[in-house]
Amino acid sequence: MKLKRNRVLPPEIQGLMGEANLAYARGETNRAIDICLEVVKYAPSASEPYQLLSLLYSEMGQNDKALKVGLISAQLNKDPDEWIELIHQAVIEGDVEVVLFCYTNAIQCDPQNISLQIERIKILEEKSDDKRVLNAKLMLLRCCSIEKDLDVYNKYFDEVMDQLDKENDRAKKIFLLKTDMRKFQNLFSTKSNFSIDKLLLVLYFKISNKN
């Protein structure tokens, strides 16, 4: 794992961190851990010692410790790749909520990564967490690119509408339709007499009559 620096360590602490990296390279695991913990005392908001600690604990087979310090590092770095690595560690630990926490943070760092959003939805569906499934699908629809992800968009749009039908939530359906129309507005001619507003009105009455 390549160590990423989110903040510049003070010069004297940089030297200490350098000693930790050198100890790791020499295979002096315990010494490297001790130095990293010392660096954390002086620079608790720097991610580098947590990253190295996570790597060290992982190589020692202490995945639970590796995951805990890895979570701290990822929150400091705001790097989606780091969160994705932690997803795999959390899966090994079997903690579904931590897995979801990592997915959520990875998505926040990279909301256009639709595959991450789909995987999170699948896990929530396995948990039968309908409310969180709905919110996750709504977020996916907001982030979907019509040009690149049209099939995905259509699939989850239909699923969300079906769920809202069951819940008889007209307000959310209208909101979703408005969002949908904005995404597709380039498909309508600006010269057309049948405006998007008129189309929304027709769709509103269709929804109203359906329930």
Side-chain angles (χ1 to χ4, degrees), residues 67-85:
L67 180 57
K68 287 174 183 176
V69 294
L71 288 169
I72 298 172
S73 171
Q75 288 175 313
L76 292 168
N77 265 335
K78 310 296 183 186
D79 178 8
D81 292 334
E82 199 166 341
W83 284 111
I84 291 170
E85 287 183 19

Side-chain angles (χ1 to χ4, degrees), residues 133-144:
V133 167
L134 176 60
N135 289 334
K137 287 180 179 178
L138 286 169
M139 181 175 182
L140 182 146
L141 290 173
R142 287 197 300 271
C143 297
C144 256

